[in-house]
Amino acid sequence: MTLAAAHADSGDTAWLLAATALVLLMTPGLALFYGGMVRAKSVLNMLMMSFVSIALVTVVWLAAGYSLAFTGDLGGGLLGGLGDAGMAGLTPDSVHGTVPTLLFATFQLTFAIITAALISGAVADRTRFGAWLVLVPVWTLLVYVPVTHWVWGPGGWIGAKLGALDFAGGLPVEITSGASGLALCLVLGPRLGFKKDAMRPHSLPMVMLGAGLLWFGWFGFNAGSALGANGLAAAAFLNTLAAGCTGLLGWLLVEQRRGHPTTLGAASGAVAGLVAITPSCGTVSLLGALVVGLAAGVVCSYAVGWKFKLDYDDSLDVVGVHLVGGVIGTLLIGLFADKAMTGGSEGLLYGGGLALLGRQLVAVLAVAGYAFAVTYGLGKLLDRTMGLRASEEEERTGLDLTVHAETAYDHGVLGHGAPVAPVRKAESPA
């Protein structure tokens, strides 16, 4: 159980309330980002996969997820207990550090929500919506909750025992979603027409709007993880801005060398930089943040093309951006960790030796391997029991119409409706 303290700090509480709202906004932002990237026939389905994740994850988090992640430890740093299941025993006076425990639980809930929603980008255009409704809550309890306890929970084996660093979620958010997305890609197989048909984003303005909302919300994601209105939050805020900028520029640099800097590349580069700085925003200096963002922008711009060489259909580049970006940001802590930020640990380039880098590598391999294995098994189970992949007819027609009985646009206006008879010219008089 979480014990009550004297009182919460009003400034810290006010900031975390705002940060929580910012992180929740990231999921609608992600819905727009992903929705613009798919073809017009499945945009509503893409939006729904994100929005329904808000409801599904909230229910399981309040019922058991929060308690299993953050209440005590059942042994070995593997999982918490059920003392706060159903939020039992938590009152407005319960305090976690300097903020109300109920607020801390809600802040962490918003992380769990967007992590589940992120996976949808890897399996866009071909996943049964009914199966998604089952996958999200089960995956949250089996994958996200244990990994969160490992990294941030009391006695967690990665954070408390191993001593690996993750300020705002490179391991439980970015790497779990990316590795899980890869697993489901392999279970589902590629979309019809993969590597043959053009599958271009149907609305780049929607993509840019979604990316902007994600960037805005990311300040709550990273700076809010300081759990206080303080200098560490300010440093994380600035590092987040800086890495997003260098990620954008790094991606565009690669595209410029190829001939055409694109709006999709700018949005993807910014997100790649933000992904990579998530675990390191509270552990590296401003210079480190600039390097982390740049590295992610450049490397991820190449990584999104690996799916064509390795033949896995990661529809919206969850693997190339979130898995690869999360790995980059988590490992670079081992190089750029600054004692002025961490209060003790130092990276290799600051004289700390290889020890921290080794711990970061162990954490990355453990989390990625666990998330991939459990998700692959869960995906196979769902596919054999209720069917995970939409039918060929549903996929060809589009999931918006076949699943939701709706369309996002008047296709006649877009030029896809029935042909209009030409106006006959007036006959000239004889």
Side-chain angles (χ1 to χ4, degrees), residues 126-132 187-188 379-391:
R126 63 198 189 279
T127 303
R128 290 189 61 200
F129 190 69
W132 179 252
V187 173
L188 285 168
K380 280 290 189 181
L381 178 63
L382 289 175
D383 195 40
R384 291 177 181 177
T385 54
M386 62 184 302
L388 187 60
R389 179 157 184 162
S391 69

Side-chain angles (χ1 to χ4, degrees), residues 19-39:
T20 301
L22 286 169
V23 182
L24 182 60
L25 180 65
M26 292 177 71
T27 299
L30 180 73
L32 292 173
F33 183 68
Y34 280 171
M37 291 176 69
V38 296
R39 290 166 289 180

Side-chain angles (χ1 to χ4, degrees), residues 242-404:
C245 291
T246 53
L248 185 157
L249 294 173
W251 196 299
L252 288 185
L253 177 64
V254 174
E255 287 194 331
Q256 180 66 52
R257 290 174 60 85
R258 294 172 176 169
H260 299 285
T262 66
T263 52
L264 180 60
S268 300
V271 171
L274 294 166
V275 165
I277 199 60
T278 293
S280 53
C281 61
T283 59
V284 303
S285 65
L286 177 58
L287 175 61
L290 292 169
V291 175
V292 167
L294 182 63
V298 171
V299 175
C300 291
S301 68
Y302 289 104
V304 296
W306 296 348
K307 61 185 178 183
F308 299 111
K309 297 179 181 179
L310 301 178
D311 203 32
Y312 63 89
D313 185 9
D314 173 20
S315 304
L316 306 182
D317 301 322
V318 176
V319 177
V321 174
H322 292 275
L323 177 57
V324 174
V327 169
I328 289 171
T330 304
L331 291 181
L332 287 183
I333 292 173
L335 298 180
F336 292 100
D338 187 343
K339 183 167 63 176
M341 295 287 290
T342 65
S345 299
E346 290 183 305
L348 177 63
L349 299 182
Y350 285 76
L354 291 170
L356 179 58
L357 180 60
R359 295 195 294 270
Q360 298 299 116
L361 178 60
V362 169
V364 165
L365 293 176
V367 169
Y370 175 80
F372 179 89
V374 174
T375 307
Y376 188 86
L378 177 59
K380 280 290 189 181
L381 178 63
L382 289 175
D383 195 40
R384 291 177 181 177
T385 54
M386 62 184 302
L388 187 60
R389 179 157 184 162
S391 69
E392 182 174 336
E393 180 183 355
E394 289 173 329
E395 189 174 340
R396 290 191 185 280
T397 303
L399 300 180
D400 288 1
L401 190 60
T402 58
V403 176
H404 307 292

Side-chain angles (χ1 to χ4, degrees), residues 35 83 102 130 134 149-150 174 190 197 209 221 223 253 275 299 306 387-388 428:
L102 291 174
V134 175
H149 182 75
W150 299 354
E174 309 299 352
D197 300 338
L209 175 60
F221 201 90
L253 177 64
V275 165
V299 175
W306 296 348
L388 187 60
S428 58

Side-chain angles (χ1 to χ4, degrees), residues 26 29-30 33 114 209-219 271 274:
M26 292 177 71
L30 180 73
F33 183 68
I114 194 169
L209 175 60
L213 289 173
L214 281 169
W215 200 338
F216 179 64
W218 228 297
F219 292 116
V271 171
L274 294 166

